Amino acid sequence: MSRRGAVQRKVPCLFVTEVKEEPSAKRERQPFKVLATETLNEKALEADIYNAVPTEKVDGTCCYVTTYKGQPYLWARLDRRPNKQAEKRFKRFLYSVDDCKEFHWNVEEDFKPVPDTWIPAKEIEFSNGNPLPDENGHMPGWVPVEKNSKQYCWHSSVVSYETEMALVLKHHADPGLLEIRPVSLSELLEQTLELIGTNINANPYGLGSKKQPIHLLVPHGAFEIKNPPTLKQSDIVSWFEGCSEGQVEGIVWHCRDGCLIKLHRHHLGLCWPLAETYLNSQPVVISFNRNDYDCDFGPKSLFHQFSKLDGQRFDRLKDIKFDD
C-alpha cells in the first residue's frame, strides 16, 4: 500500500536529555531514566521555540483520521517492530557503536508482519520502495479501526461510521468550560488525536468505570496553555509543581514550521499520573442533539448514552455517569 499516514515521528524534547542508569527490580524492562539537562535542544531553537504555541500533552493513545473504503475513518497507531532475532542484533549493535544509522536492516525478513491495511507514517524514510525503521528500530504507522473491532474496541466506541461522527472533547465557546460533542469525521481529516478514557493508560483522568467505560478523542493541540512558564528548567519545574494549570502530563509546543517539541514531567524527575489533574478541574457540558442525526444508535453505545445527557453540565470529567 503506497499511501502514507500522518506525521508520527519521534518528537524532540525541549531540553537536551541524558540517560541515567537506574538498576531496580521494578525497572527490569527499562533500567534507565531519560532526564532533561538545562540546555535547550538545538532542534527546538531551530524551530523557533520562543514563538511556538504551548499546549497540554494529553495522556492517551495516538489516533489518526483519513479516508478508508471511500469515507473518513479512524486509524489506530501500530508500529511495525523487529522480530526477536533482529531486535537482538540491533541491541548488540547499539551497545557497540553510537550511530544506529549504520545498522543494516533487512526489511523483508527482520520485521513482524502487519495487516495488509497498515500504512506507514509520513516522513518515514524509504529505500527501494520499502519503509525504513527509525532510530529506535520501529516503523511508525497506522491501521484502520473497523466497526465492532475487538482489538480496537475502545477506538471503535468513539466513532459512528453510519453518521460519520466521532465523540470529541474540546473547549466550549465559553471560557473555562469543556464540551463533549459529536464532530464530523470529515472535519478531522488528516488530523491526529489522542484517545483517552477508562481503559487507556490506566485512566489518569478518571473517566467512566469498568461497568460503564467512557472514551473520548482529543485533537492534538486542542488545549492551549494560557499562562505558560518561561523556557527555563527551574521555571518549568515550579510551574508543574506550583499551579493548577501545571497539573498535566507535559507540554507540547507547536512551532510555526509544523515541528513539535515536547517535555514530559518524567524528563524533570516529576511524577505522573497525579491524584488531581488540570483536565479534571474544569466543568464540562454535553452537547448532543439526537434529532440532528438520522441514525438509531445502539442502546449500549456511547453515542446513545451521551445523547441522553444532552445539555447536562458536570463539575468534572470524572463526574460523568450514565443511567443503568
Side-chain angles (χ1 to χ4, degrees), residues 34-192:
V34 178
L35 295 175
T37 65
E38 295 186 5
T39 304
L40 284 173
N41 192 328
E42 189 66 31
K43 292 181 180 179
L45 294 172
E46 291 174 356
D48 192 17
I49 187 68
Y50 287 101
N51 290 301
V53 177
T55 67
E56 176 179 346
K57 186 180 187 301
V58 178
D59 189 1
T61 184
C62 194
C63 304
Y64 170 49
V65 176
T66 192
T67 53
Y68 177 63
K69 296 181 179 178
Q71 71 175 93
Y73 247 70
L74 183 69
W75 294 61
R77 172 76 181 268
L78 179 65
D79 287 5
R80 192 175 181 192
R81 299 171 182 265
N83 55 41
K84 287 185 178 179
Q85 288 184 331
E87 187 172 24
K88 287 180 180 179
R89 280 197 299 115
F90 183 56
K91 287 183 176 179
R92 284 198 300 267
F93 182 83
L94 289 181
Y95 283 124
S96 63
V97 296
D98 294 327
D99 189 0
C100 63
K101 290 182 180 179
E102 296 177 2
F103 184 79
H104 175 70
W105 291 102
N106 185 327
V107 176
E108 295 180 355
E109 297 181 4
D110 287 345
F111 287 84
K112 297 176 183 178
V114 289
D116 292 339
T117 52
W118 181 86
I119 59 174
K122 285 179 182 175
E123 295 199 4
I124 196 170
E125 295 182 15
F126 274 67
S127 176
N128 298 322
N130 291 317
L132 294 177
D134 60 19
E135 65 271 24
N136 299 311
H138 298 170
M139 296 181 196
W142 311 96
V143 289
V145 175
E146 300 280 8
K147 181 182 177 181
N148 301 322
S149 166
K150 290 185 178 180
Q151 183 176 1
Y152 298 107
C153 58
W154 310 123
H155 292 71
S156 64
S157 71
V158 298
V159 288
S160 165
Y161 292 129
E162 291 79 10
T163 60
E164 296 191 4
M165 306 297 290
L167 286 170
V168 172
L169 172 68
K170 300 174 74 174
H171 277 304
H172 189 271
D174 294 341
L177 180 64
L178 299 176
E179 180 182 44
I180 296 171
R181 66 180 178 91
V183 173
S184 171
L185 282 167
S186 61
E187 290 183 30
L188 303 172
L189 272 173
E190 304 311 316
Q191 292 187 38
T192 54

Side-chain angles (χ1 to χ4, degrees), residues 1 6 31 45 49 77 80 109 129 146 161 169 191 203 215 223 229 260 269-270 272 278 286 300 314:
M1 200 168 179
L45 294 172
I49 187 68
R77 172 76 181 268
R80 192 175 181 192
E109 297 181 4
E146 300 280 8
Y161 292 129
L169 172 68
Q191 292 187 38
N203 195 16
H215 297 86
F223 301 138
L260 302 178
L270 303 177
W272 179 266
Y278 182 60
I286 314 299
K300 293 185 179 180
F314 299 85

Side-chain angles (χ1 to χ4, degrees), residues 226-237:
K226 300 300 181 183
N227 300 294
T230 70
L231 300 181
K232 185 179 177 182
Q233 190 185 115
S234 58
D235 289 343
I236 295 176
V237 170

Side-chain angles (χ1 to χ4, degrees), residues 243-255:
C243 71
S244 61
E245 198 177 13
Q247 306 307 294
V248 296
E249 184 195 22
I251 304 174
V252 177
W253 286 265
H254 291 247
C255 303

Side-chain angles (χ1 to χ4, degrees), residues 300-318:
K300 293 185 179 180
S301 75
L302 274 179
F303 286 82
H304 174 78
Q305 298 286 7
F306 274 115
S307 71
K308 294 193 297 181
L309 299 179
D310 180 41
Q312 291 194 37
R313 179 169 169 157
F314 299 85
D315 290 336
R316 304 174 301 174
L317 284 171
K318 63 172 61 176

